[in-house]
Amino acid sequence: MVTILLLGAPGAGKGSQARLIEEEFGYKQISTGDLLRKEISDNTDLGMQVKGIIDKGELVSDDIIFEMLEHRIKESDCNKGIIFDGFPRNISQAERFPSLLGKKLDFVINIEVPFDVIIKRLSSRRQCTSCGAVYNAISNPTNVDDVCDKCYGHVIQRDDDKEETVKNRLEVYTKQTEPLIEYYKNKGNFYTFDGNRDIKVIFEEIKELLNK
Ligand code: AMP
């Protein structure tokens, strides 16, 4: 089983790259953000519990994340490989990660994008509420307004992509998530990509790395 970790600020393009890797290599994207949003849209107890936290741009508790992941990685569609997108989010999750995975990560891919670009991107980002496909109202709009090209689901602006939450998410990223770069840099298999380029250009480079 191949295991890939995608690091980067919200809006750096982790989800877009994860989907391209999934299509090309057949590894499964696991986005903890998508899993949490599914709980919210299904109105589960867990969804109710985390909604306020996500809307504020704070992190949900490590225990919730690990319990959710334990179930998800056991599913058979993960046998070939997993792309972790949005997890770990802090050092304590990273330290607990090996016990969940039982093996070393094969690739840690860090996608770097300046914050001013991120802020612009997030304000025009749109996402399908059914399949999670990501669009951009300016640079990559849906063919039909608010309708997903892939699954015909409803495409919206995420509540936490609104300006007031984005600021806090970037602060949380800087304080809690960015230190993971140093943490993983020292462990090997660490690669940084300039994410301020066309999605496909970045993917070609990532593909080359994964094919090595
Ligand atoms: P994302 O879609 O990855 O930007 O995640 C959206 C929100 O879900 C985050 O702002 C957090 O509130 C929550 N979240 C996602 N992944 C994690 C995680 N690994 N640990 C804690 N909270 C998370």
Side-chain angles (χ1 to χ4, degrees):
M1 187 210 267
V2 176
T3 49
I4 302 168
L5 178 60
L6 295 180
L7 285 180
K14 301 185 296 296
S16 302
Q17 295 302 328
R19 275 156 200 277
L20 291 171
I21 297 169
E22 193 175 77
E23 276 167 29
E24 177 78 23
F25 294 91
Y27 310 147
K28 200 71 202 164
Q29 173 196 24
I30 297 185
S31 153
T32 42
D34 284 347
L35 292 175
L36 292 165
R37 279 184 290 278
K38 173 94 176 41
E39 296 288 336
I40 295 172
S41 66
D42 289 349
N43 277 314
T44 64
D45 289 345
L46 176 61
M48 298 297 103
Q49 206 181 321
V50 298
K51 184 171 179 353
I53 302 169
I54 292 178
D55 285 349
K56 273 191 269 169
E58 300 292 331
L59 297 183
V60 310
S61 78
D62 294 355
D63 286 342
I64 288 179
I65 296 292
F66 275 84
E67 204 188 320
M68 229 172 45
L69 280 176
E70 259 166 43
H71 292 294
R72 184 64 190 88
I73 65 174
K74 280 189 195 132
E75 287 174 40
S76 59
D77 59 348
C78 294
N79 290 348
K80 192 167 179 201
I82 303 178
I83 311 146
F84 291 95
D85 163 9
F87 167 87
R89 222 41 174 242
N90 56 30
I91 297 283
S92 74
Q93 290 181 6
E95 284 174 341
R96 203 168 146 184
F97 193 12
S99 67
L100 176 86
L101 202 56
K103 74 177 284 273
K104 204 175 172 298
L105 283 161
D106 296 301
F107 300 93
V108 178
I109 294 176
N110 176 38
I111 306 178
E112 262 180 1
V113 178
F115 271 18
D116 56 329
V117 177
I118 296 262
I119 290 166
K120 277 195 205 120
R121 271 190 197 177
L122 290 180
S123 64
S124 50
R125 178 161 80 170
R126 302 289 182 268
Q127 189 168 22
C128 175
T129 50
S130 299
C131 74
V134 175
Y135 298 92
N136 185 291
I138 298 159
S139 60
N140 176 31
T142 51
N143 293 326
V144 176
D145 277 356
D146 308 333
V147 178
C148 180
D149 295 352
K150 300 191 173 87
C151 78
Y152 306 107
H154 189 206
V155 173
I156 57 154
Q157 178 175 40
R158 281 168 42 178
D159 280 340
D160 63 344
D161 277 349
K162 293 181 180 153
E163 204 181 323
E164 48 295 0
T165 309
V166 164
K167 195 165 159 277
N168 193 36
R169 286 168 71 203
L170 293 179
E171 269 172 33
V172 168
Y173 171 77
T174 305
K175 279 200 203 114
Q176 303 200 46
T177 312
E178 204 174 30
L180 291 175
I181 295 175
E182 283 309 309
Y183 180 87
Y184 282 112
K185 230 183 219 170
N186 302 323
K187 294 195 183 302
N189 300 342
F190 179 92
Y191 308 87
T192 291
F193 292 86
D194 171 5
N196 194 12
R197 296 174 298 160
D198 186 85
I199 289 172
K200 295 209 173 76
V201 172
I202 303 163
F203 179 61
E204 283 308 309
E205 291 178 7
I206 292 181
K207 192 160 95 177
E208 201 178 312
L209 168 71
L210 299 180
N211 273 323
K212 265 187 198 157

